[in-house]
Amino acid sequence: MCGVVGYIGKNNGVPIIIECLKNLEYRGYDSAGIAVINEKKLKIIRKQGKVADLEKAILEEGRSFIGIGHTRWATHGVPSEENAHPHQDCTGKIAVVHNGIIENYLSLKDMLISEGHKFKSDTDSEVIAHLIEKYYSDDIYKAVKESIKLMDGSYAIVVLHSDHPNQIIATKNKSPLILGLGKNENFIASDVPAILKYTNDIIFLEDGDLCQIFNKNIVIRNSNDKIIDRPVKKIDWNYEMAQKNGYDNFMLKEIFEQPRAIQETIISRISEDKGKVYFKEINLSDEKIRNIKRIVIVSCGTSWHAGLIGKIFIEKMARIPVTVEYASEFRYSEPIINENTLVIGISQSGETADTLAAMNEVKKYKSSIISICNVVGSSIARISDGVIYTHAGPEIGVASTKAFTTQLVVLYFFSVFLARINRNISIPQAIVRMKGIRNLQRKVDNVLKLNSQIKKLAEIFYKKKNILYIGRGVGFAIALEGALKLKEISYIHAEGYHAGEMKHGPIALIDKNMLVVVIALKGRRYNKIMNNIEEIKSRHGVVIAIVTEGDERIKKIADYTIPIPDVNEFLSTVLSIIPLQLFAYHIAIKKGCNVDQPRNLAKSVTVE
Ligand code: F6R
């Protein structure tokens, strides 16, 4: 939530900062601002609204070789020009952009007001500018260092001082911040896609790092005030991967990227004919894995739904008990875990504050920690003992799509991997499990061909006020995820429910106006789900069923069917969510919603 950026170098920083802010806009988009230094004077422009509005306002602002920028997702104070960043101190010489929450800002504000500081916004962030002013004599680095000693909470802070036009100061605690290294120019940003156009050489900062960024070099000191060399990582994403490339929006592009993303996540991890899965990245010995008595998955949102499916995969194949926890609850739950527990954090961004906090909590219990992440070098990846990366490429649309399906693929193979090590399945059984995967990419392609059929359904139902999604087994988690996709981008109330629970209450909702999307694939629960459909139809509800190709029986009772290829239960999860992603997408587009930047949301939830 909120994106920060800074540039110093040989080029005019204004268009560069605007470009970076556009790439960061998925983190927040209710207001934006930029500060540059021109002839030892700070120039600040802020606008309520999108980065494009800011861009229009700064066209005549000329050149500057140093600047910072911000795109906001409001936490403290409504979206407005006054509350937009950069914030300034009383002298007008200091400009600050901030991502995070200063939890003790009220007491700091009281103190600063009593010392004569004048505040202009309702934000927590403004205290940072005034604190730096309080400690500033002639060294901006020292002033920031002293200020952060007083702050509680999470922050990625980037600071300019007009008397120091040769350096940017930046620091972080629990909010992501990366450095991008260029030739005679350097960048700082909340995340990698922001600066991919300019560099792939990235340093991931650690909590407590305090940096002086000059155009030719960067000095990083750690929390013990020691100059430290952080490793430079070459990121293999490129600028095009983070662009729309001809699609109307990122969400559609990312839905259609799923065949490639899935293939790249699988590639080099399995040897199908040997029934072997390779997860060299996770650093756990076979003996350690054999000692795992329990697995706990922690995650949020869509990643939590992937966790629900992962539980079913792992318990079925490896016969290890799994619980799936909301990361936001886990750390307050006095977890019963120990050195024989494996904790798996699932996170596309690798920066979700609740998941990160939950995983930090685990450290106390000596459990092994691995994560399934999409963003290389992200905070969650870094605190884990091992990371399995989904190779989905940058996911920019706020609604998670390709990250989810690649997480499912990783969880599927991870289950086979565990099951082989604890010898719960034989090599031939592992081979059988892997067989379907070879054709998965082609099958995903086939499901995507249903796009125009699904668009027609969206045109029929886009005016609905409520839609129910139901399923059983893995289909229940798909129902939850389908409902989440719809509500977050179209603002239609959508509820995912366990089909077996319908008679325990929700069936009362069914009448001729209620649309029910049913995950009704062939398998052990097929007859039961058929009963659910009959019960809905007897009450005049309208049914769209996701069915197995060739299922003629359901066609006779459901109002509409969407057939997906016949694959095993595990792989069916990947195929059955895609029509629901498309359904949500087309409904939202038909309603005129911004699918990439839905209201009130941000891509990375970096505050708890
Ligand atoms: C929904 C969505 C969110 C995220 C959640 C966790 O489409 O994207 O629910 O899944 O905020 O984010 P990550 O996976 O980055 O930890």
Side-chain angles (χ1 to χ4, degrees):
M1 333 214 104
C2 297
V4 298
V5 65
Y7 172 81
I8 182 164
K10 57 190 181 218
N11 292 309
N12 180 11
V14 177
I16 295 175
I17 292 167
I18 291 293
E19 171 72 27
C20 295
L21 286 179
K22 284 184 182 163
N23 294 329
L24 276 177
E25 214 173 9
Y26 67 88
R27 300 175 66 91
Y29 31 81
D30 59 45
S31 50
I34 182 169
V36 295
I37 303 176
N38 263 341
E39 290 156 10
K40 281 207 156 196
K41 280 213 173 75
L42 264 186
K43 287 204 166 167
I44 298 195
I45 301 185
R46 305 180 298 177
K47 279 277 161 232
Q48 182 176 348
K50 304 265 163 134
V51 176
D53 301 314
L54 174 71
E55 190 177 22
K56 279 186 212 137
I58 57 173
L59 276 179
E60 319 86 51
E61 277 308 302
R63 295 167 70 79
S64 174
F65 302 99
I66 179 168
I68 59 177
H70 188 270
T71 177
R72 180 167 187 250
W73 186 89
T75 58
H76 294 59
V78 296
S80 67
E81 197 161 315
E82 295 70 46
N83 289 333
H85 301 218
H87 290 289
Q88 280 184 282
D89 68 323
C90 302
T91 68
K93 290 189 164 198
I94 298 168
V96 171
V97 291
H98 166 226
N99 167 33
I101 294 179
I102 305 300
E103 286 168 3
N104 59 339
Y105 88 101
L106 281 175
S107 58
L108 292 175
K109 193 168 174 174
D110 285 347
M111 173 189 83
L112 289 160
I113 289 173
S114 72
E115 291 172 5
H117 291 262
K118 300 266 180 299
F119 279 77
K120 293 185 183 133
S121 77
D122 304 320
T123 65
D124 54 328
S125 310
E126 194 184 345
V127 295
I128 304 168
H130 293 280
L131 267 182
I132 297 172
E133 177 190 1
K134 173 181 162 79
Y135 287 108
Y136 180 78
S137 51
D138 57 359
D139 185 337
I140 183 65
Y141 170 83
K142 266 197 191 149
V144 176
K145 187 174 122 189
E146 290 310 311
S147 306
I148 58 177
K149 287 184 187 160
L150 271 72
M151 294 178 211
D152 293 335
S154 57
Y155 49 80
I157 298 170
V158 188
V159 182
L160 280 188
H161 192 299
S162 56
D163 289 346
H164 302 272
N166 65 335
Q167 62 176 304
I168 297 174
I169 309 293
T171 184
K172 81 173 273 303
N173 182 46
K174 296 189 204 153
S175 292
L177 200 56
I178 56 132
L179 292 167
L181 312 184
K183 210 166 183 206
N184 293 333
E185 61 181 354
N186 287 308
F187 303 80
I188 180 128
S190 294
D191 61 25
V192 177
I195 56 173
L196 270 181
K197 186 171 181 182
Y198 307 101
T199 180
N200 290 55
D201 293 326
I202 304 292
I203 293 177
F204 293 89
L205 294 173
E206 300 286 340
D207 283 350
D209 285 356
L210 183 53
C211 322
Q212 286 172 285
I213 307 157
F214 305 95
N215 57 0
K216 293 205 170 130
N217 68 311
I218 295 174
V219 182
I220 308 173
R221 288 184 178 80
N222 66 11
S223 47
N224 299 323
D225 211 17
K226 288 235 159 60
I227 292 187
I228 184 148
D229 260 340
R230 296 266 177 239
V232 181
K233 277 202 172 179
K234 237 219 177 351
I235 300 295
D236 62 2
W237 290 356
N238 61 42
Y239 176 63
E240 278 64 42
M241 287 166 91
Q243 300 305 305
K244 288 184 199 149
N245 297 340
Y247 282 89
D248 288 345
N249 45 59
F250 283 108
M251 183 174 177
L252 193 62
K253 174 190 171 233
E254 287 159 8
I255 290 174
F256 275 86
E257 276 177 343
Q258 289 178 106
R260 182 203 52 76
I262 287 168
Q263 195 58 19
E264 284 184 13
T265 302
I266 297 167
I267 246 161
S268 78
R269 287 209 165 114
I270 63 164
S271 155
E272 202 181 308
D273 23 316
K274 290 191 188 133
K276 226 174 151 42
V277 182
Y278 306 96
F279 279 127
K280 295 194 188 97
E281 315 95 304
I282 63 172
N283 282 331
L284 290 179
S285 67
D286 287 7
E287 194 197 337
K288 186 106 192 154
I289 290 175
R290 284 194 196 101
N291 284 332
I292 294 171
K293 299 281 177 285
R294 186 175 166 225
I295 293 177
V296 177
I297 296 177
V298 286
S299 44
C300 302
T302 288
S303 296
W304 187 78
H305 296 154
L308 293 181
I309 294 171
K311 168 186 163 76
I312 298 176
F313 291 175
I314 295 170
E315 289 187 342
K316 266 209 168 157
M317 285 196 243
R319 305 300 296 158
I320 302 171
V322 182
T323 50
V324 187
E325 307 283 347
Y326 283 121
S328 51
E329 279 297 326
F330 180 76
R331 57 192 294 222
Y332 304 105
S333 66
E334 297 175 31
I336 308 168
I337 57 176
N338 57 32
E339 65 277 12
N340 293 327
T341 312
L342 172 66
V343 176
I344 307 177
I346 308 178
S347 175
Q348 184 285 129
S349 61
E351 301 294 349
T352 299
D354 282 319
T355 309
L356 187 59
M359 293 177 78
N360 272 320
E361 178 75 13
V362 167
K363 299 240 160 199
K364 295 185 200 151
Y365 297 85
K366 300 199 171 70
S367 304
S368 305
I369 308 178
I370 63 164
S371 55
I372 299 174
C373 286
N374 192 40
V375 177
V376 174
S378 52
S379 305
I380 288 173
R382 291 204 307 276
I383 63 156
S384 308
D385 300 325
V387 197
I388 305 174
Y389 285 113
T390 49
H391 296 294
E395 192 180 66
I396 312 281
V398 162
S400 190
T401 51
K402 60 178 181 170
F404 178 67
T405 44
T406 51
Q407 286 166 353
L408 295 182
V409 165
V410 163
L411 285 161
Y412 180 53
F413 285 115
F414 188 63
S415 315
V416 179
F417 171 81
L418 291 178
R420 276 300 300 134
I421 292 178
N422 71 11
R423 310 236 163 81
N424 203 57
I425 60 173
S426 63
I427 293 178
Q429 282 170 323
I431 292 172
V432 170
R433 299 263 187 265
M434 285 176 195
K435 273 273 180 284
I437 206 80
R438 183 182 289 167
N439 297 324
L440 189 61
Q441 186 180 10
R442 192 170 44 77
K443 287 180 172 151
V444 173
D445 271 325
N446 287 342
V447 175
L448 287 169
K449 288 189 188 133
L450 299 171
N451 187 29
S452 48
Q453 179 193 334
I454 294 166
K455 188 172 173 202
K456 284 189 192 129
L457 283 179
E459 280 158 7
I460 302 172
F461 292 112
Y462 76 99
K463 287 194 176 143
K464 284 272 168 215
K465 296 270 177 284
N466 302 289
I467 303 183
L468 258 179
Y469 287 68
I470 62 169
R472 292 168 181 256
V474 289
F476 168 51
I478 295 297
L480 291 175
E481 175 60 8
L484 174 59
K485 285 298 85 103
L486 185 74
K487 71 184 109 178
E488 69 180 324
I489 59 169
S490 74
Y491 320 137
I492 292 175
H493 169 238
E495 210 176 335
Y497 224 87
H498 193 282
E501 288 288 301
M502 281 295 282
K503 284 198 264 307
H504 302 282
I507 200 164
L509 293 167
I510 305 294
D511 62 15
K512 65 178 179 5
N513 295 317
M514 181 59 85
L515 172 63
V516 189
V517 177
V518 187
I519 321 302
L521 301 175
K522 285 268 168 71
R524 281 178 68 195
R525 298 170 178 84
Y526 179 73
N527 285 333
K528 297 276 180 266
I529 205 91
M530 286 294 285
N531 294 343
N532 286 120
I533 296 177
E534 297 279 9
E535 286 154 12
I536 295 162
K537 287 311 303 168
S538 318
R539 286 154 185 84
H540 312 293
V542 182
V543 170
I544 297 178
I546 308 290
V547 303
T548 309
E549 254 168 23
D551 184 343
E552 295 302 318
R553 193 175 147 201
I554 290 202
K555 272 194 185 160
K556 293 190 188 121
I557 47 167
D559 300 274
Y560 306 90
T561 54
I562 303 175
I564 63 160
D566 192 1
V567 289
N568 73 33
E569 183 193 8
F570 307 110
L571 299 179
S572 77
T573 55
V574 173
L575 300 184
S576 53
I577 191 58
I578 293 171
L580 303 186
Q581 294 169 347
L582 287 167
F583 186 58
Y585 171 81
H586 287 299
I587 286 189
I589 293 290
K590 188 80 190 143
K591 287 188 70 182
C593 302
N594 181 339
V595 291
D596 283 344
Q597 298 176 344
R599 70 184 182 204
N600 306 338
L601 290 175
K603 182 71 182 161
S604 305
V605 185
T606 53
V607 291
E608 287 175 49

